[in-house]
């Protein structure tokens, strides 16, 4: 009898230990955000939704930027049930369309004088290969080019705030990418390598952008950091065959329960980057701690060069260097 009881206790303890380990860090900052305006893209689902709840609890004025405003409205209603005093706005934003990004930014600029936070959270993974209306691979545009353009459009409002923070939600998947893959950004209208590489390039692009932008904003009140949320149980895997198939998902479920984070746990690093008193900029957070990204992602020269390449391929929006 005692043998069974001690066996159950040990197994329970090990299971708890494994779950705690994979749950990652928890943001312990108690900073309030009363009245501060924060935009969260992709706020209707997963990490963005969980983060929006955390920010509303701390008093932030929230702008939920969603491509499906009906879903955004549902989240607003859920937030108001828990926090009736929350101030929440829903705005339409489709990052896969530069005209939508422009309209969104114009709308925000007409209604708000300053912004404290911009969380570039929205993203897709393993999306069927599609070319956007702007002629880019959909993963590249949604995860990297869209946030790049959005951030530039909103910089004036961020600079208008006493302190401001940009948080770019990246991924450990940036480590899968080599320098050759990274260069493919210029040819992706015609060439596509793999879903994993497409995702990895977009996430590496975000870290390089974070690094270079932090240098350009070094004399301003705006800090910019990237975060890795970890492996989180969300809708992001909707297109991945091994997880979108209910039978395969059921097979993996016992392991996933142990090692995959909940959306609330996945939101902790982004929350930490918004709240921490550490004013480091151009950094990469993982599990609420400063962490080292891959060697390519840590290279200032590559970050500068990639920024220039991105401006080149977005010349229709930003103009060419000779226009400056
Ligand atoms: N889950 C993970 O394990 C994991 C790991 C590393 C990094 N991340 C990153 O974490 C971020 C959040 O993902 P998640 O896991 O929370 O997934 P999710 O639940 O699928 O949320 C993604 C959000 O992005 C939105 N979105 C997608 N395409 C968009 C577009 N064109 N314009 C505007 N919004 C768009 C989605 O809107 P709809 O609901 O309308 O589709 C959704 O609100 C992503 O950047 C992802 O790459 C996630």
């Amino acid at each position: 009898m005692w043998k069974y009881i001690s066996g159950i206790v040990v197994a329970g303890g090990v299971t708890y230990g494994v779950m705690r380990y994979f749950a990652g860090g928890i943001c312990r900052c108690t900073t309030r955000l009363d009245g501060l305006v924060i935009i969260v893209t992709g706020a209707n689902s997963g990490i963005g939704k969980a983060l929006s709840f955390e920010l509303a609890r701390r008093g932030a004025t929230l702008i939920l930027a969603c491509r499906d405003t009906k879903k955004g409205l549902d989240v607003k209603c859920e937030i108001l049930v828990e926090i009736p005093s929350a101030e929440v706005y829903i705005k339409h934003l489709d990052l896969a369309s530069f005209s939508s990004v422009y309209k969104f930014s114009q709308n925000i600029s007409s209604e708000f004088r300053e912004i404290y936070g911009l969380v570039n959270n929205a993203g897709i993974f393993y999306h069927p290969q599609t070319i956007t209306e702007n002629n880019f691979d959909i993963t590249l545009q949604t995860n990297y080019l869209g946030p790049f353009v959005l951030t530039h459009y909103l910089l004036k409002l961020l600079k208008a705030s006493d302190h401001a923070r940009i948080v770019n939600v990246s991924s450990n998947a940036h480590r899968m990418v080599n320098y050759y893959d990274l260069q493919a950004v210029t040819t992706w209208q015609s060439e596509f390598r793999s879903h994993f590489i497409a995702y990895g390039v977009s996430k590496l692009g975000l870290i390089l952008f974070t690094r270079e932008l932090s240098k350009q904003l070094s004399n301003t009140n705006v800090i910019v950091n990237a975060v890795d949320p970890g492996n989180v149980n969300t809708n992001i895997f909707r297109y991945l065959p091994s997880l979108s198939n209910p039978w395969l998902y059921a097979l993996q479920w016992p392991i996933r329960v142990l090692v995959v984070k909940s959306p609330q746990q996945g939101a902790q690093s982004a929350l930490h980057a918004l709240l921490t008193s550490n004013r480091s900029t151009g950094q990469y957070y993982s599990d609420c701690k400063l962490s080292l990204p891959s060697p390519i992602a840590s290279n200032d020269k590559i970050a500068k060069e990639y920024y220039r390449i991105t401006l080149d391929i977005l010349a229709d929006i930003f103009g060419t260097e000779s226009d400056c």
Side-chain angles (χ1 to χ4, degrees):
M1 173 73 172
W2 284 111
K3 234 166 67 180
Y4 288 119
I5 293 177
S6 49
I8 289 168
V9 170
V10 170
V14 170
T15 306
Y16 177 77
V18 170
M19 285 176 83
R20 277 297 321 131
Y21 175 77
F22 284 100
I26 291 182
C27 174
R28 309 237 174 244
C29 307
T30 53
T31 320
R32 295 280 311 167
L33 296 163
D34 297 290
L36 297 178
V37 180
I38 301 184
I39 298 174
V40 180
T41 69
N44 61 278
S45 174
I47 295 166
K49 178 178 170 181
L51 178 65
S52 300
F53 268 86
E54 296 275 9
L55 298 173
R57 286 179 195 123
R58 287 162 170 83
T61 296
L62 281 177
I63 299 173
L64 311 183
C66 308
R67 65 176 163 175
D68 182 337
T69 47
K70 162 81 184 60
K71 290 187 195 167
L73 201 57
D74 291 344
V75 172
K76 174 179 176 173
C77 293
E78 285 181 50
I79 291 176
L80 289 177
V81 168
E82 189 196 308
I83 311 135
S85 61
E87 202 176 335
V88 186
Y89 299 85
I90 314 295
K91 298 286 177 191
H92 179 261
L93 170 68
D94 180 357
L95 287 158
S97 156
F98 292 138
S99 70
S100 171
V101 175
Y102 179 73
K103 278 186 206 139
F104 171 83
S105 311
Q106 290 292 98
N107 185 290
I108 298 296
S109 305
S110 67
E111 287 186 34
F112 296 88
R113 282 214 300 251
E114 58 186 64
I115 296 170
Y116 171 77
L118 168 63
V119 186
N120 285 313
N121 162 75
I124 51 174
F125 170 64
Y126 216 87
H127 193 286
Q129 196 199 352
T130 309
I131 299 297
T132 65
E133 63 185 39
N134 303 110
N135 237 355
F136 291 105
D137 169 71
I138 193 160
T139 302
L140 189 73
Q141 184 163 347
T142 307
N143 295 3
Y144 173 59
L145 298 175
F148 184 100
V149 173
L150 176 67
T151 304
H152 282 91
Y153 282 160
L154 294 176
L155 271 182
K156 202 170 155 198
L157 287 183
L158 288 156
K159 286 180 185 170
S161 175
D162 285 346
H163 299 286
R165 297 187 181 201
I166 301 165
V167 176
N168 292 322
V169 180
S170 181
S171 164
N172 218 9
H174 81 272
R175 296 183 196 279
M176 298 185 301
V177 176
N178 59 35
Y179 189 65
Y180 172 69
D181 290 323
L182 188 64
Q183 296 297 314
V185 68
T186 48
T187 55
W188 267 14
Q189 281 114 323
S190 53
E191 192 185 337
F192 180 79
R193 294 220 163 73
S194 86
H195 291 99
F196 286 104
I197 296 300
Y199 184 72
V201 166
S202 70
K203 293 301 179 181
L204 175 56
L206 269 186
I207 303 177
L208 292 170
F209 173 45
T210 301
R211 219 172 166 83
E212 173 59 19
L213 188 64
S214 72
K215 303 241 170 340
Q216 296 182 14
L217 295 175
S218 60
N219 291 326
T220 73
N221 51 334
V222 187
I223 65 174
V224 47
N225 287 300
V227 302
D228 163 35
N231 192 6
V232 191
N233 196 14
T234 68
N235 289 329
I236 195 107
F237 301 106
R238 70 190 94 171
Y239 299 112
L240 187 68
S242 61
L243 287 176
S244 54
N245 177 314
W247 294 104
L248 290 176
Y249 185 86
L251 270 178
Q252 298 167 59
W253 184 81
I255 298 288
R256 290 184 62 79
V257 163
L258 290 178
V259 303
V260 179
K261 293 180 182 180
S262 68
Q264 197 192 1
Q265 291 163 342
Q268 295 302 306
S269 286
L271 182 66
H272 187 75
L274 280 169
L275 299 181
T276 179
S277 55
N278 183 341
R279 291 195 54 79
S280 301
T281 183
Q283 304 297 313
Y284 180 69
Y285 282 93
S286 182
D287 282 334
C288 301
K289 289 194 294 269
L290 286 174
S291 172
L292 277 184
S294 70
I296 296 181
S298 315
N299 186 314
D300 285 342
K301 204 167 144 249
I302 295 177
K304 196 177 175 67
E305 181 191 333
Y306 204 61
Y307 185 90
R308 191 195 47 75
I309 290 173
T310 306
L311 283 183
D312 280 352
I313 66 168
L314 294 174
D316 286 350
I317 293 174
F318 294 111
T320 53
E321 252 179 72
S322 53
D323 297 337
C324 301

